[in-house]
Amino acid sequence: VAVSTRLRSSADARSSRRVQWRAPVIQAAGRLRLADRLSSGVLGLAKPVSPTLRASRLLVRFKSLSSVSTLFSMPERRPFVRLPTDVYPVNYGLRLKPDLIDFTFEGKLEAAVEVTQGTNQIVMNCADIDIITASFVPEGGDEINATGFNYQNEDEKVTLCFPSILQKGSGSLKIDFVGELNDKMKGFYRSKYMTPSGENRYAAVTQFEATDARRAFPCWDEPAIKATFDITLIVPKDRIALSNMNVFDRKPYPEDHSLVEVKYATTPIMSTYLVAFVIGEYDFVESQSSDGVTVRVYTPVGKAEQGKFALEVATKTLPFYKDYFSVPYPLPKIDLIAIADFAAGAMENWGLVTYRETALLIDPKNSCASSRQWVALVVGHELAHQWFGNLVTMEWWTHLWLNEGFASWIEYLCVDHCFPEYDIWTQFVSADYTRALDLDALDNSHPIEVDVGHPSEVDEIFDAISYSKGASVIRMLHNYIGDEVRGHVQPADLWECLEQASGKPIAAVMNSWTKQMGFPIIVVDQEQNCPNWMVPISICTSEDPSCTKMKVLLDQPETTVNVTNIAPDHWIKINPGTVGFYRIQYSSAMLESLLPGIRDLTLLPVDRLGLQNDLFSLARAGMISTVEVLKVMEAFVNEPNYTVWSDLSCNLGVLSSLLSHTDFHEDIQEFIRNLFTPIGMKLGWDSKTGEGHLDALLRGLVLGKLGKAGHKGTLEEARRRFKEHVEGKQILPADLRSPVYLTVLKHGDSTTLDTMLKLHKQADMQEEKNRIERVLGAIPAPDLIQRVLNFALSEEVRPQDTVSVIGGVAGSSKQGRKAAWKFVKDNWEELHNRYQGGFLISRLIKLTVDGFAIDKMAAEVKSFFESHHAPAAERTVQQCCENILLNAAWLKRDAEDIHQYLLQRKAPPV
């Protein structure tokens, strides 16, 4: 049988059912791009063997005043001008002398510069730095002292004014300055740690991306303005002092014999945001990669053993990237170091990569499988940047997505090479691909490639669009053109190179994905028109689910292809491997034909996952009923795959959170217990001979889900094992700690919380502290929830981890969500001051308010942030308000149907 398949691409499709769906209550819920284009029902096919495929452009056109874009429009962008080009640096000679007692530093800059046209001023970036003196010495001329320093604090610039014209040519700019070792986890800052003897001390460390090198020294802090660096650090002689390059001279500091002067080799030409230095107390483990690069992993004192896993990953990874890029690693050494107070996961400073402790340290006995995997991915990501980002750098932050999206894609390639048993590409779909689709379904998403101006705008795009959608689109491109075509330049040049190498219209395809936000939905059986996407479509059939039967580029209003040799009982699957960055809505008949492929596992795991995830998203958008998704979820009764269960679990968690606003929340818990019990019984509590990494992940996931949902047997066993663990009789394996802790807390009292806080205090590993911090919010009693929130801001919790404690409270219950939001409002000044506009403030807001489902809460959140400005989180606030309205609409639309379905499931058969 030949199946005729029409591929259509459209901007708009409206039916009478569509109009009914657009009742005022839904309009008030706002504009969900993936919701607005298609019929709310899944239409049946007149001829089930002739599916019609189409792609829709998802640009929304609600005109109602109550639409989200009207209620929550983005503010006007702040005016911004990049640095003038009349003077640029060639080399920075930089000397820094940090004071680890008073938390200040002295600096001397002697920069070799080039004056391209005569000027009487030099404009540089400078923030939170006081310039003492500045002068310019033209080559072969006399020194000219600056007569004034004009600080533009809002734009983080300083203008050095000179009494005469600096003539075209080479010269030297000399600046003496002082600054503060701040406690904001950005720029040159202090990081608190505890010595093995229990004494609190401080390290001086750096985090310069995106625009914070200017807090350590006056500089041209734009990625395209590259130079070489000669760095000298004057530090206590009993401290480790590291920078991007190897040490080439170390000698006593003549003015103070307790100090040493450490000079580092000249760096390659590089951007300011990649400069780094660390001064503190560390141990290390060392090895060499097969191509002769010295690799060290620096750990807290006494914990060198915990650096061995990352060392193994790094030494395997460097040669892998050398072969992949066909370029050797260009520095003589690379250091990976664990920093106690660190806002991000890690930072790719050239030759000196900085990490949170939990992203680098692995204890052979006390680290769980998911931590090992996380460390492998983060090491793979940061080392990829040593080439793609450091050696070749984006011209401006507009192209951050290419830098981060590429590293987020290739980290999986690297981990798959090092640890094939992780099945990491299936996990990519759950961790990155679906996460990006979820965010990109919002009106307040943004294109992958977004114009960036003012520094406050840069932090906003360190998000799932730049990282996860970027990685997903690169994965789709990789699949479209094949592995043999490579190129390493900036976007327009890169597309041109790849186009020449592949013979395919790469620029046209990629521009449709990077320059507009959103994504198409490929809908089966409905009429549409007006193309706006160039969509690479792949098709497979049940004859060979692992093999793509045909590929087509959907670039016209209508394309017809014939899928040949399809038996009447065979299914057709669009987007095998879940590679194309789009959602699919099948007709009822096609969906029905795919269900046996879920039950008998003939559909590949990644496609079982993708099918369920698409349906869940379409239900949230109001395009199908949530009941349809619950019915499909029940088909996963034989599912063995960890990543598929993980995605199911995540979506059920979202639904459970939504239904916490109803009086039948317990019914969805029963559904969860029923769904997860068979796999829980099969796995049991204890690992079996021959089990591997994925079995450990699955056991933890399933037991945690059953325990949280109140499965009686799981709760009893968790309490028994927890008691033995606390008493020291039988220590819990690392992989069981999170599910056990979560279960006993969810059904615990003040004694449980006291015990857990005691375990937290006793924990020597940051991984264990974080494990406890993330689940504390599960405690149900209101007074205990308040205790957990107060604990979040205590000295017991590292500044960067406060966010996950508060987020854990908000995500655990309706009561927790209300309490967390009130706590954030009451403590806003302290929290905002702590994170100073970095991305942690965005994460805090999202975790706290995203789960609300009442229209008035969106207005309350909007109102609060209108009077409490958070410039780096403006887009996040818009997204959260939109999500709240969408949740409210979802609840109004589907709650009663879900309730009836869950009651019907419980009813005894007649």
Side-chain angles (χ1 to χ4, degrees):
V1 178
V3 175
S4 176
T5 303
R6 283 185 303 150
L7 301 174
R8 300 194 180 193
S9 176
S10 115
D12 206 351
R14 297 198 173 149
S15 65
S16 58
R17 296 177 67 186
R18 175 80 209 135
V19 173
Q20 289 167 12
W21 180 80
R22 291 178 66 210
V25 64
I26 301 302
Q27 291 184 12
R31 318 181 305 161
L32 180 62
R33 182 169 308 95
L34 67 77
D36 189 50
R37 289 302 163 214
L38 307 162
S39 162
S40 59
V42 182
L43 303 182
L45 279 168
K47 296 179 180 177
V49 292
S50 300
T52 304
L53 306 178
R54 68 190 97 110
S56 87
R57 172 187 168 220
L58 306 167
L59 183 64
V60 191
R61 291 181 184 161
F62 271 156
K63 300 295 186 188
S64 163
L65 287 175
S66 57
S67 76
V68 171
S69 65
T70 309
L71 276 175
F72 304 116
S73 57
M74 292 294 288
E76 289 184 25
R77 294 178 60 194
R78 297 165 70 183
F80 174 76
V81 179
R82 283 168 64 170
L83 292 171
T85 56
D86 50 6
V87 182
Y88 69 87
V90 176
N91 170 271
Y92 290 87
L94 180 63
R95 288 168 62 89
L96 289 170
K97 182 169 171 270
D99 185 327
L100 296 172
I101 307 299
D102 292 337
F103 305 130
T104 58
F105 60 88
E106 299 171 15
K108 286 181 180 291
L109 175 66
E110 189 163 337
V113 301
E114 200 67 32
V115 180
T116 58
Q117 62 183 56
T119 178
N120 65 349
Q121 60 182 34
I122 296 177
V123 183
M124 306 171 73
N125 291 116
C126 179
D128 301 334
I129 281 175
D130 289 322
I131 294 174
I132 310 301
T133 62
S135 64
F136 180 79
V137 184
E139 192 170 40
D142 295 332
E143 186 167 13
I144 307 168
N145 290 312
T147 52
F149 318 130
N150 179 15
Y151 295 93
Q152 296 102 56
N153 292 334
E154 184 75 5
D155 289 334
E156 299 179 345
K157 292 175 183 173
V158 64
T159 301
L160 308 178
C161 305
F162 294 90
S164 57
I165 299 292
L166 311 181
Q167 299 299 328
K168 183 177 176 181
S170 302
S172 176
L173 175 66
K174 298 180 180 180
I175 303 176
D176 287 3
F177 59 94
V178 293
E180 179 196 9
L181 288 175
N182 69 66
D183 60 354
K184 310 298 181 201
M185 295 185 286
K186 63 182 184 179
F188 196 14
Y189 71 94
R190 61 187 187 262
S191 171
K192 187 177 177 181
Y193 63 95
M194 189 177 286
T195 65
S197 63
E199 180 189 347
N200 280 328
R201 288 193 190 158
Y202 290 86
V205 302
T206 57
Q207 170 58 39
F208 290 163
E209 192 181 27
T211 57
D212 290 315
R214 62 193 66 174
R215 295 175 197 283
F217 55 102
C219 57
W220 287 260
D221 201 11
E222 297 182 358
I225 307 178
K226 292 186 169 187
T228 58
F229 291 81
D230 288 296
I231 291 171
T232 300
L233 299 177
I234 297 158
V235 299
K237 63 183 180 183
D238 60 349
R239 297 292 196 269
I240 296 279
L242 304 172
S243 188
N244 304 83
M245 297 298 289
N246 50 298
V247 174
F248 82 87
D249 188 28
R250 180 186 172 103
K251 61 187 181 188
Y253 183 58
E255 296 173 32
D256 184 342
H257 291 300
S258 69
L259 305 177
V260 289
E261 189 175 302
V262 187
K263 292 185 178 179
Y264 302 87
T266 304
T267 71
I269 187 167
M270 61 189 275
S271 303
T272 48
Y273 79 90
L274 294 168
V275 174
F277 15 91
V278 175
I279 301 101
E281 296 173 284
Y282 300 94
D283 285 344
F284 66 86
V285 286
E286 179 180 333
S287 185
Q288 274 206 330
S289 67
S290 60
D291 40 359
V293 179
T294 299
V295 185
R296 284 183 175 181
V297 176
Y298 284 84
T299 74
V301 173
K303 297 185 178 180
E305 177 81 7
Q306 295 177 18
K308 287 184 176 176
F309 178 75
L311 184 68
E312 175 198 340
V313 175
T315 50
K316 280 185 183 176
T317 296
L318 287 172
F320 173 75
Y321 285 149
K322 175 192 167 189
D323 293 342
Y324 187 86
F325 293 110
S326 302
V327 175
Y329 175 72
L331 276 59
K333 64 92 178 177
I334 187 161
D335 298 326
L336 293 71
I337 185 165
I339 305 295
D341 295 317
F342 198 77
M347 175 60 208
E348 69 265 20
N349 316 299
W350 215 355
L352 175 56
V353 187
T354 46
Y355 294 79
R356 272 194 193 195
E357 290 185 5
T358 49
L360 189 68
L361 304 181
I362 291 295
D363 182 276
K365 290 181 181 174
N366 294 301
S367 288
C368 59
S370 59
S371 293
R372 250 186 288 276
Q373 181 176 295
W374 174 240
V375 168
L377 284 167
V378 179
V379 170
H381 181 104
E382 304 309 329
L383 295 193
H385 276 312
Q386 305 301 303
W387 284 263
F388 204 95
N390 299 9
L391 188 62
V392 177
T393 309
M394 64 210 154
E395 194 275 337
W396 185 246
W397 299 108
T398 296
H399 300 130
L400 173 78
W401 81 268
L402 190 60
N403 193 17
E404 294 300 351
F406 182 85
S408 298
W409 170 74
I410 205 173
E411 72 185 54
Y412 284 85
L413 202 68
C414 165
V415 169
D416 193 46
H417 166 77
C418 294
F419 304 100
E421 69 275 15
Y422 285 10
D423 185 27
I424 203 70
W425 279 116
T426 305
Q427 295 192 57
F428 173 90
V429 174
S430 182
D432 283 273
Y433 171 95
T434 59
R435 180 168 166 250
L437 283 167
D438 286 344
L439 178 53
D440 208 25
L442 299 178
D443 274 343
N444 287 294
S445 179
H446 61 84
I448 290 181
E449 195 167 293
V450 60
D451 284 337
V452 171
H454 196 277
S456 66
E457 295 170 16
V458 182
D459 280 328
E460 284 200 289
I461 58 168
F462 281 86
D463 65 2
I465 300 299
S466 296
Y467 283 72
S468 297
K469 183 179 179 181
S472 299
V473 169
I474 289 167
R475 175 171 168 257
M476 178 171 67
L477 175 67
H478 180 264
N479 181 262
Y480 177 54
I481 64 177
D483 199 24
E484 68 281 358
V485 181
R486 291 191 204 138
H488 316 296
V489 285
Q490 292 307 302
D493 304 325
L494 175 57
W495 306 153
E496 187 181 337
C497 291
L498 292 176
E499 201 161 285
Q500 289 172 4
S502 68
K504 295 178 178 178
I506 305 302
V509 172
M510 290 305 288
N511 286 339
S512 78
W513 294 93
T514 63
K515 294 187 183 298
Q516 59 187 359
M517 67 186 191
F519 51 86
I521 299 180
I522 308 305
V523 184
V524 181
D525 188 41
Q526 195 175 339
E527 188 172 338
Q528 299 188 0
N529 49 39
C530 304
N532 195 53
W533 298 85
M534 297 187 71
V535 189
I537 303 281
S538 301
I539 302 169
C540 76
T541 71
S542 48
E543 186 180 21
D544 187 354
S546 63
C547 179
T548 298
K549 192 172 179 74
M550 63 189 312
K551 289 185 178 183
V552 61
L553 183 65
L554 177 54
D555 61 352
Q556 298 294 324
E558 180 170 323
T559 303
T560 301
V561 298
N562 287 314
V563 185
T564 57
N565 301 319
I566 305 299
D569 59 341
H570 281 192
W571 46 256
I572 292 176
K573 171 76 174 65
I574 315 306
N575 200 17
T578 315
V579 173
F581 194 76
Y582 43 81
R583 297 284 191 196
I584 299 173
Q585 184 179 9
Y586 291 101
S587 70
S588 297
M590 285 191 76
L591 181 59
E592 194 66 37
S593 75
L594 285 164
L595 292 184
I598 295 176
R599 292 192 191 95
D600 64 19
L601 311 179
T602 51
L603 264 176
L604 297 183
V606 70
D607 290 318
R608 301 196 296 270
L609 186 163
L611 185 63
Q612 175 269 140
N613 195 283
D614 280 352
L615 286 169
F616 188 79
S617 185
L618 294 170
R620 184 172 188 240
M623 297 166 64
I624 63 172
S625 164
T626 307
V627 169
E628 294 302 309
V629 187
L630 292 172
K631 288 176 181 175
V632 170
M633 285 177 168
E634 291 183 300
F636 285 82
V637 62
N638 301 314
E639 184 58 55
N641 186 277
Y642 159 71
T643 313
V644 177
W645 275 116
S646 175
D647 202 71
L648 263 170
S649 171
C650 184
N651 287 338
L652 280 168
V654 171
L655 191 57
S656 175
S657 175
L658 183 77
L659 298 179
S660 69
H661 298 276
T662 71
D663 57 3
F664 61 91
H665 189 234
E666 174 51 34
D667 293 335
I668 194 68
Q669 304 312 306
E670 184 177 343
F671 180 90
I672 291 168
R673 293 194 296 268
N674 290 345
L675 189 61
F676 279 79
T677 295
I679 184 71
M681 297 293 287
K682 183 179 174 185
L683 286 167
W685 278 81
D686 299 308
S687 58
K688 303 171 185 69
T689 308
E691 283 188 348
H693 175 79
L694 293 167
D695 299 293
L697 293 179
L698 180 56
R699 179 173 287 108
L701 173 80
V702 171
L703 291 175
K705 201 71 178 176
L706 284 169
K708 188 176 181 184
H711 182 261
K712 191 179 175 189
T714 305
L715 175 56
E716 288 171 354
E717 184 64 9
R719 282 175 170 161
R720 185 185 72 78
R721 290 183 181 238
F722 182 67
K723 186 171 183 289
E724 290 194 344
H725 176 73
V726 171
E727 292 170 354
K729 292 178 182 174
Q730 183 69 49
I731 299 301
L732 280 165
D735 288 308
L736 289 182
R737 288 183 201 169
S738 280
V740 168
Y741 294 168
L742 174 66
T743 301
V744 297
L745 275 163
K746 183 70 180 174
H747 309 279
D749 55 19
S750 60
T751 306
T752 321
L753 181 59
D754 288 341
T755 306
M756 202 63 80
L757 291 174
K758 187 178 176 186
L759 285 178
H760 180 276
K761 197 172 188 67
Q762 292 170 346
D764 185 42
M765 268 197 84
Q766 197 58 33
E767 179 187 326
E768 176 74 354
K769 285 185 184 290
N770 286 172
R771 197 170 8 239
I772 294 167
E773 287 161 359
R774 282 194 296 268
V775 297
L776 285 173
I779 200 79
D783 60 321
L784 301 182
I785 287 173
Q786 199 56 48
R787 270 187 67 195
V788 172
L789 289 168
N790 293 335
F791 171 76
L793 276 179
S794 73
E795 286 287 314
E796 298 290 317
V797 178
R798 289 204 176 281
Q800 70 266 24
D801 298 322
T802 297
V803 173
S804 53
V805 180
I806 298 172
V809 171
S812 286
S813 64
K814 184 180 177 183
Q815 174 72 33
R817 195 156 38 243
K818 285 181 180 174
W821 172 229
K822 183 177 186 304
F823 184 79
V824 166
K825 288 189 294 182
D826 291 347
N827 294 277
W828 177 251
E829 193 173 336
E830 181 177 349
L831 288 163
H832 189 251
N833 186 50
R834 174 178 288 198
Y835 302 124
Q836 284 283 307
F839 59 85
L840 281 176
I841 205 76
S842 295
R843 189 171 299 168
L844 174 69
I845 294 166
K846 182 173 175 58
L847 288 171
T848 306
V849 304
D850 232 17
F852 284 115
I854 304 163
D855 288 356
K856 69 175 184 181
M857 282 306 304
E860 182 179 318
V861 171
K862 173 180 178 283
S863 173
F864 179 80
F865 287 109
E866 280 177 346
S867 57
H868 299 79
H869 293 294
E874 283 172 349
R875 194 187 303 273
T876 298
V877 172
Q878 311 302 323
Q879 291 166 351
C880 288
C881 290
E882 188 176 349
N883 269 325
I884 293 167
L885 292 176
L886 290 166
N887 287 341
W890 188 9
L891 206 56
K892 290 169 191 169
R893 187 175 62 240
D894 275 9
E896 187 50 37
D897 286 348
I898 295 169
H899 191 198
Q900 291 306 316
Y901 175 70
L902 294 175
L903 287 175
Q904 182 188 320
R905 284 181 79 254
K906 291 198 293 186
V910 178

